[in-house]
Amino acid sequence: MFLGQIRNNLLFTQKDQIKRMPTSNLNRHLGKISSRMTQIQPSGLRELFDLEHKIAKSSSNTILSFGLGNLNIPTLSEIIEEMKIVLDNPVSHRYSSNAGILALREALSERYFSKYQLEYTTEQILVTGGSLEALFDVFIALLDPGDEVLIQDPTFNPYYSNQITIAGGRVKPIKLNEKFQLDPESIIESLTPKTKAILLNFPSNPTGSVMTRSQIKDVVETAADNKIVVISDEAYEDIVYDKHKHTCAAEIDYENVIVISSFSKTFSMTGFRLGYVLGIQELIKPISLVHQQNTACANTPSQMAAIKALHLHPSIRDPMMLELNKRRKETIKVFTSIEGISLQNDPLGAFYIFPNVSDTGMNGDEFSKFLLEKCQVVVVPGSGFGNTTKDFVRVSYGFLNPEEIQEAGSRIKSLI
Ligand SMILES: Cc1ncc(COP(=O)(O)O)c(C=O)c1O
């Protein structure tokens, strides 16, 4: 209000002195932007979300969105209460140590010991602004120009590819098997003298696939045999269903394993922007230097509240997991009962399923557009997640409750 008043007064009194920024022609400025950035792909979702916005305005139907990689399950009230308390503490208004508040790194060390029997010292842990920052720091610290990073196809793209490209590396996608899992043979086939690292993501976004302990062991041992670094993005490590038990890649004996994880999904804290990296000190040190130059430290109030999150008994998450499992079952039931749609994996992790829609006569792009236009249901085309996935769509059950999922199912069935 106050700022608005200043603006109005200025417009009234000093019209001649106001400097308007030019609305520029991008081409005129291309020479000033690094050539790296010209290779960066914006998210393919923008077009779909623009269309969603347009349809939301004109349709009487509410939009039911399986599009978001976000959870609408509230952050635990204990964490919110703690956040309110820490904001009254002036310590939370300041930078923390670069690596993260010691008590938080101690709590993380404790967590990895009790969950995976892995003993990390606090020097082997770095707290970051979400796992996205962690990934970025790792790529910048590890990659020389032209170094290749093997990534799963499909995977969490365009983020992974863009980050690797910005860091000067090259992306080498490896086609996953029909269950969207990684076979050691396909890693070996993709190796070149320039291969520096392999990036794993299980449980997987976008497929919901998980890997067993012996599969993770085979992959990490293949990386070890070929002396490449394993970067394991385990952002969904705690979102697993039925009897599946997540294996942390660092449980397998190989020193060049960098584990990345996050508070975002485990505690439904995406907005708090808090992730972390674990690894041997020789690797964590250069990654910390990048982090220091990048952000100095992760958000201090979030770090303080996160200590509380780690000290809560794990069962505190049971209601969230019960709800997610209900949504998962309902989503699988709805989509697999539609003619022309099939699921080729058992999605035992994260909050996504990745069905093949080609037997409807449409590819993933066409199918997504069709659902949005004809029944105001949003799913995301698979084509954005890899080179082999144009017939698929990603369906997220992070944002719809079981009743809404059923409603979406009835709308789709009445069409197809
Ligand atoms: C596989 C994967 N890694 C990392 C992230 C980023 O998470 P964060 O909120 O910790 O940055 C996401 C977010 O959706 C994700 O799906």
Side-chain angles (χ1 to χ4, degrees):
M1 183 66 185
F2 180 61
L3 280 179
Q5 273 168 8
I6 296 178
R7 185 185 169 82
N8 287 342
N9 291 346
L10 275 176
L11 281 174
F12 188 67
T13 57
Q14 296 160 315
K15 257 189 199 148
D16 298 346
Q17 292 167 30
I18 294 169
K19 181 184 169 210
R20 294 222 155 77
M21 290 300 129
T23 47
S24 62
N25 169 355
L26 183 64
N27 284 335
R28 245 181 32 223
H29 296 280
L30 270 184
K32 302 192 174 56
I33 294 164
S34 78
S35 53
R36 264 190 336 268
M37 289 312 292
T38 60
Q39 298 167 48
I40 301 305
Q41 305 292 326
S43 165
L45 299 183
R46 180 157 317 146
E47 205 185 318
L48 188 76
F49 289 143
D50 285 348
L51 184 62
E52 177 182 338
H53 198 66
K54 211 165 113 196
I55 287 175
K57 275 190 181 162
S58 60
S59 167
S60 54
N61 248 350
T62 48
I63 298 239
L64 294 173
S65 181
F66 293 102
L68 296 163
N70 221 333
L71 286 171
N72 68 346
I73 293 178
T75 309
L76 293 172
S77 58
E78 289 86 343
I79 301 170
I80 304 291
E81 286 313 312
E82 183 70 7
M83 190 69 167
K84 291 179 186 163
I85 293 167
V86 304
L87 284 174
D88 279 333
N89 180 350
V91 171
S92 77
H93 308 166
R94 303 177 190 138
Y95 295 125
S96 77
S97 77
N98 295 136
I101 295 173
L102 183 62
L104 176 58
R105 285 180 289 132
E106 282 168 351
L108 282 168
S109 171
E110 202 43 53
R111 168 179 159 82
Y112 273 74
F113 188 73
S114 51
K115 194 165 158 66
Y116 301 112
Q117 292 75 59
L118 290 168
E119 208 162 14
Y120 283 105
T121 66
T122 51
E123 287 77 34
Q124 294 168 326
I125 301 174
L126 170 71
V127 180
T128 58
S131 48
L132 277 177
E133 195 232 329
L135 284 157
F136 211 77
D137 296 344
V138 168
F139 296 137
I140 292 187
L142 249 57
L143 300 179
D144 281 318
D147 280 349
E148 290 173 358
V149 181
L150 307 179
I151 65 168
Q152 298 162 204
D153 183 358
T155 198
F156 181 45
N157 263 343
Y159 282 100
Y160 288 162
S161 294
N162 283 342
Q163 289 202 357
I164 292 166
T165 306
I166 294 171
R170 285 216 188 135
V171 177
K172 192 111 190 255
I174 310 181
K175 190 176 180 330
L176 298 178
N177 67 24
E178 73 286 356
K179 301 252 175 261
F180 298 122
Q181 293 167 324
L182 192 54
D183 292 328
E185 302 75 49
S186 54
I187 300 175
I188 292 167
E189 280 164 19
S190 305
L191 291 169
T192 75
K194 293 294 270 176
T195 310
K196 185 68 146 303
I198 180 165
L199 175 56
L200 306 181
N201 172 230
F202 293 103
S204 150
N205 177 6
T207 66
S209 265
V210 295
M211 297 253 281
T212 63
R213 185 182 179 81
S214 84
Q215 287 174 311
I216 292 282
K217 185 168 184 286
D218 286 348
V219 165
V220 175
E221 285 177 351
T222 305
D225 290 345
N226 293 283
K227 301 188 173 46
I228 60 172
V229 179
V230 174
I231 306 164
S232 188
D233 175 357
E234 303 185 11
Y236 296 93
E237 61 178 315
D238 292 299
I239 315 269
V240 292
Y241 309 93
D242 296 349
K243 295 245 155 44
H244 179 74
K245 187 170 178 294
H246 175 73
T247 300
C248 174
E251 288 179 64
I252 313 305
D253 212 11
Y254 178 39
E255 60 179 13
N256 291 319
V257 173
I258 297 171
V259 175
I260 293 173
S261 193
S262 173
F263 287 83
S264 287
K265 318 290 170 174
T266 298
F267 295 102
S268 194
M269 287 170 70
T270 46
F272 289 65
R273 306 310 302 127
L274 214 55
Y276 49 91
V277 193
L278 307 101
I280 56 168
Q281 228 172 323
E282 289 78 358
L283 293 172
I284 290 295
K285 254 193 182 159
I287 299 167
S288 299
L289 280 178
V290 180
H291 166 72
Q292 195 178 332
Q293 299 303 315
N294 195 358
T295 57
C297 66
N299 176 305
T300 308
S302 296
Q303 290 191 63
M304 291 169 78
I307 298 170
K308 175 79 176 190
L310 292 176
H311 283 133
L312 295 168
H313 192 272
S315 64
I316 196 92
R317 296 176 56 258
D318 290 353
M320 163 172 150
M321 288 309 297
L322 265 174
E323 168 67 16
L324 279 179
N325 207 6
K326 261 195 247 161
R327 295 180 185 190
R328 182 180 79 96
K329 287 183 177 155
E330 202 55 52
T331 306
I332 293 174
K333 197 161 100 192
V334 159
F335 279 85
T336 53
S337 65
I338 296 168
E339 216 179 306
I341 300 184
S342 59
L343 205 54
Q344 61 188 48
N345 64 326
D346 191 6
L348 283 174
F351 39 84
Y352 310 105
I353 66 168
F354 202 63
N356 185 323
V357 297
S358 58
D359 286 346
T360 61
M362 290 176 265
N363 65 29
D365 287 35
E366 292 158 347
F367 183 79
S368 307
K369 213 163 160 205
F370 176 75
L371 284 202
L372 182 53
E373 284 175 345
K374 302 288 183 209
C375 68
Q376 292 74 55
V377 170
V378 181
V379 296
V380 175
S383 53
F385 298 98
N387 300 327
T388 56
T389 47
K390 69 175 179 30
D391 288 335
F392 295 80
V393 292
R394 187 190 76 173
V395 180
S396 161
Y397 46 90
F399 233 79
L400 294 180
N401 65 38
E403 295 72 40
E404 290 168 322
I405 294 168
Q406 278 169 11
E407 154 82 17
S410 321
R411 288 194 201 172
I412 302 170
K413 273 180 205 155
S414 66
L415 270 181
I416 296 181

